[in-house]
């Protein structure tokens, strides 16, 4: 789908020059800083050098004191503690972090972890999980990345003599569970200044508070920042505030001294060379490390992912990572087939073009991959999307949104049709009785059609600024990398350059020649830079040099590109390249 190009509002030229001179940086870099609201030398230093000492006091979070007091009571009384978490990346990293820290001073026969089986128990706190705790003598359960809406399950746990501490980051319902403590900065009564933590981030704050109360060395928790960075990157939470500080230092640890488990995933993901160069990025986590950890919960058991992340024996951990990598391969193939089936359903719907939403239901689809399929369909058709299958006797699935549209509110408007739902503005999970699916589809479509704006129905690419090819130098790239880690709230800058021409060695690459590798110049005498344009192979004949005789080149018409800048590592040589997002040919 073609996207509308929108150039962001540019800061005042005199302000750009002043900041660039003050910091001795490229004016284009100063422009990017000002766009992000960074206007002074002091603000720039804070942004480029995030400081762990500036993390907020964990006790500023509602119920944190109650949670810590209950854990201390359990430790002193010799109680058994169960660390419980969701089966996705955020949940399994949260369990791994909290369990790893607690076992450093709690005997292993008094602590364990539990991850619900996706296809037997479903998301969140399950009756089976509560029974497991009660039957095995666990009097305290620390629930991570789930539980904020588990009102009935917590009441059931109380009847079984099991106390719960809930640490979540999802939006609460009207009623909070009657747990010993409910730690969630999204509580309406919580004064904690940062509302954007991942589930693992909330677990980190709990351990930070416990460590502080026990008088421990605060730096001891920094050993887990690589695990936390994987959570922050994979859960796509805003890369601002505490998340930026934690991810910045977590990515440093991931690149210099990753845990045994993460090192094994780096190996099977073929990121060894990038690790040697200390160049693993957030994108590598999102597209290579995170999906493999996720695959355990999607295709096998989320508990395997935790075993990997808490493991200390290289041989054992490597065996787990190989199995998880195989599960990821199976997940990719199933994802491809399911997406093809979903697209066929859309194409066979004669009314689809009249709709504002996509709602698909197929009993045969695997629940573990419907979220991925929903994301792909949202990207392809650009409309709020719900993909459902059958699980445990209910229609269950995932929803994804488009830029700027509040999906959670749309689903909430249909809450009387649902058995359960949870999530946030851009992603959610939901379950309903099968007979309610048609009515949900009707009302969801009706609500979205009424509330979505025309701007939200058209995919857009926001351009940060224009560059000339000669601006893209190693010095510029070095300064640009100070903006990392990138993510929501601090996206990787998108640049625009025009005009550009094919230098002569551009070619089609990849399966079915679907992609382009471009050799570009900004004018007929400028330096050359290479770029990659995925999915743009059909444009090859329109951009390539038409003729070359006796060094006389006949160029195709100039065109315009928007892109990110990245590094290409090949044969031990590192060069800059453009990751081209769109090509505009007059």
């Amino acid at each position: 789908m073609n996207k509308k190009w929108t150039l962001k509002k540019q800061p005042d030229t005199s302000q750009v020059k002043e900041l660039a001179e003050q910091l001795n940086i490229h004016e284009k870099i100063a422009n990017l800083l000002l766009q992000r609201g960074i206007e002074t030398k002091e603000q720039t230093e804070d942004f480029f050098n995030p400081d762990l000492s500036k993390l907020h006091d964990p006790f500023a979070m509602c119920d944190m004191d109650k949670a810590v007091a209950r854990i201390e009571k359990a430790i002193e009384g010799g109680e058994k503690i169960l660390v419980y978490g969701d089966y996705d990346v955020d949940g399994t990293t949260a369990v791994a972090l909290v369990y790893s820290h607690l076992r450093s001073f709690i005997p292993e026969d008094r602590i364990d972890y539990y991850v619900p089986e996706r296809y037997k128990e479903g998301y969140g706190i399950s009756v089976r999980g509560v029974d497991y705790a009660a039957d095995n003598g666990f009097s305290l359960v620390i629930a991570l990345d789930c539980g904020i809406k588990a009102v009935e399950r917590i009441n059931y746990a109380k009847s079984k003599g099991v106390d719960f501490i809930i640490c979540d980051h999802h939006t609460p319902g009207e009623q909070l569970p009657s747990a010993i403590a409910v730690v969630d900065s999204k509580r309406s009564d919580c004064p904690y200044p940062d509302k954007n933590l991942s589930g693992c981030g909330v677990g980190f704050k709990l351990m930070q508070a416990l460590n502080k109360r026990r008088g421990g060395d605060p730096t001891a928790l920094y050993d887990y920042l690589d695990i936390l960075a994987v959570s922050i990157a994979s859960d796509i939470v805003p890369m601002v505030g505490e998340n930026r500080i934690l991810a910045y230092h977590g990515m440093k640890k991931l690149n210099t001294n990753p845990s045994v488990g993460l090192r094994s995933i780096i190996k099977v993901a073929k990121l060894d060379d990038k690790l040697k160069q200390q160049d693993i990025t957030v994108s590598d986590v999102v597209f290579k490390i995170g999906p493999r950890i996720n695959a355990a919960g999607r295709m096998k058991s989320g508990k395997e992912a935790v075993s990997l992340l808490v493991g200390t024996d290289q041989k054992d951990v490597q065996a787990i990572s190989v199995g998880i990598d195989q599960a990821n391969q199976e997940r990719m193939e199933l994802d491809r087939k399911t997406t093809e089936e979903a697209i066929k359903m859309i194409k066979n719907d004669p009314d689809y073009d009249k709709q504002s939403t996509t709602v698909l239901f197929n009993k045969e689809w695997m629940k573990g991959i419907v979220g991925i399929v929903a994301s792909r369909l949202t990207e392809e058709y650009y409309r709020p999307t719900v993909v459902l299958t059958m699980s445990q006797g209910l229609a269950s699935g995932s929803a994804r949104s488009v830029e700027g549209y509040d999906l959670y509110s749309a689903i909430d408007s249909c809450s009387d049709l649902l058995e359960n739902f949870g999530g946030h503005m851009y992603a959610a999970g939901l379950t309903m009785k099968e007979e309610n699916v048609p009515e949900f589809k009707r009302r969801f479509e009706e609500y979205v059609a009424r509330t979505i704006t025309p701007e939200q129905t058209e995919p857009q690419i926001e351009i940060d600024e224009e560059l000339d090819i000669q601006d893209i130098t190693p010095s510029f790239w070095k300064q640009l990398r100070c903006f990392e880690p990138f993510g929501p709230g601090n996206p990787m800058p998108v640049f625009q350059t025009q005009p550009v021409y094919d230098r002569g060695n551009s070619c089609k690459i990849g399966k079915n020649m679907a992609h382009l590798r471009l050799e570009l110049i900004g004018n007929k005498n400028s330096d050359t830079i290479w770029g990659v344009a995925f999915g743009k192979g059909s444009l090859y004949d329109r951009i390539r040099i038409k003729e070359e005789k006796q060094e006389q080149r006949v160029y195709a018409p100039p065109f315009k590109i928007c892109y990110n800048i990245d590094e290409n590592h090949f044969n031990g040589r590192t060069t800059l390249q453009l990751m081209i997002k769109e090509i505009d040919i007059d």
Side-chain angles (χ1 to χ4, degrees), residues 38 63 125 158 183 241 269 319 322 369 386 391 398 413 415 457 486 519 521 535:
I38 300 166
D63 280 5
I125 297 168
K158 290 173 73 173
V183 182
V322 169
I369 52 89
V386 180
S391 177
S398 296
S413 73
S415 60
T457 64
F486 296 120
E519 184 189 32
I521 53 174

Side-chain angles (χ1 to χ4, degrees), residues 273-467:
D273 288 344
K274 297 197 77 173
L275 178 60
K276 290 175 184 176
Q277 297 171 27
Q278 297 184 11
D279 195 38
I280 295 175
T281 65
V282 165
S283 291
D284 293 319
V285 174
V286 172
F287 295 109
K288 295 185 178 181
I289 295 174
R292 285 171 167 81
I293 296 173
N294 241 338
R298 294 185 191 280
M299 307 298 291
K300 303 174 77 175
S301 167
K303 194 165 185 177
E304 285 198 25
V306 178
S307 298
L308 171 80
L309 294 170
V310 303
T312 57
D313 183 273
Q314 180 62 51
K315 186 176 180 181
D316 291 344
V317 163
Q318 193 61 38
I320 297 173
S321 66
V322 169
I324 286 177
D325 187 56
Q326 179 59 41
N328 188 55
Q329 296 296 322
E330 295 169 5
R331 186 274 307 168
M332 290 171 65
E333 178 61 20
L334 191 58
D335 163 25
R336 182 188 64 78
K337 289 181 178 179
T338 306
T339 301
E340 288 177 355
E341 291 174 6
I343 290 174
K344 186 175 181 180
M345 288 176 67
I346 289 171
K347 289 181 176 179
N348 289 338
D349 182 353
D351 297 321
Y352 186 74
D353 289 342
K354 305 172 188 176
Q355 299 168 4
S356 300
T357 64
T358 302
V359 180
L360 301 179
F361 174 49
N362 186 320
K363 296 180 182 181
E364 304 304 318
W365 288 339
M366 188 175 187
K367 185 170 183 275
I369 52 89
V370 293
I372 301 172
V373 175
S375 295
R376 296 195 189 285
L377 296 179
T378 303
E379 183 178 344
E380 178 72 19
Y381 295 97
Y382 208 73
R383 55 185 70 183
T385 298
V386 180
V387 180
L388 300 165
T389 186
M390 287 299 291
S391 177
Q392 297 182 291
L394 293 170
S396 178
S398 296
R400 298 292 184 268
S401 192
V402 297
E403 183 67 28
Y405 186 73
D406 189 351
L407 175 79
Y408 187 88
S409 294
I411 293 174
D412 187 45
S413 73
C414 307
S415 60
D416 58 300
L417 299 172
L418 306 178
E419 298 300 303
N420 192 20
F421 74 99
H424 48 77
M425 180 172 178
Y426 290 114
L430 64 166
T431 59
M432 69 191 81
K433 294 176 181 176
E434 183 181 354
E435 58 264 31
N436 288 347
V437 172
E439 180 64 8
F440 171 82
K441 181 176 181 178
R442 185 191 70 78
R443 282 174 46 184
F444 182 71
E445 165 66 25
E446 183 181 80
Y447 182 94
V448 173
R450 187 175 69 250
T451 57
I452 199 166
T453 67
E455 293 76 21
Q456 291 167 344
T457 64
E458 183 178 12
Q460 300 188 26
I461 291 184
E462 281 198 317
I463 312 295
D464 289 86
E465 58 186 344
E466 293 209 33
L467 289 183

Side-chain angles (χ1 to χ4, degrees), residues 205-269:
K205 299 304 293 190
L206 175 65
M207 293 299 95
Q208 190 182 32
L210 179 64
N211 189 58
K212 184 176 182 179
R213 182 65 58 82
R214 291 171 59 84
D217 178 3
T219 64
L221 288 169
Y222 300 165
D223 284 344
Y224 313 119
L225 289 180
D226 53 348
I227 295 176
L228 180 50
V230 170
S231 154
I232 292 169
S234 300
D235 212 51
I236 322 294
V237 291
M239 198 66 77
V240 298
E242 283 193 305
N243 285 335
R244 177 171 173 80
I245 296 172
L246 294 166
Y248 176 87
H249 290 279
M251 291 303 297
K252 277 192 170 183
K253 184 176 186 300
L254 186 67
N255 274 289
T256 56
N257 184 29
S259 69
V260 175
L262 286 176
R263 187 182 292 273
S264 70
I265 284 291
I266 288 168
K267 182 176 181 179
V268 297

Side-chain angles (χ1 to χ4, degrees), residues 72 101 135 186 194 310 465:
E72 286 191 306
H101 183 61
D135 294 345
K186 286 191 175 74
D194 198 319
V310 303
E465 58 186 344

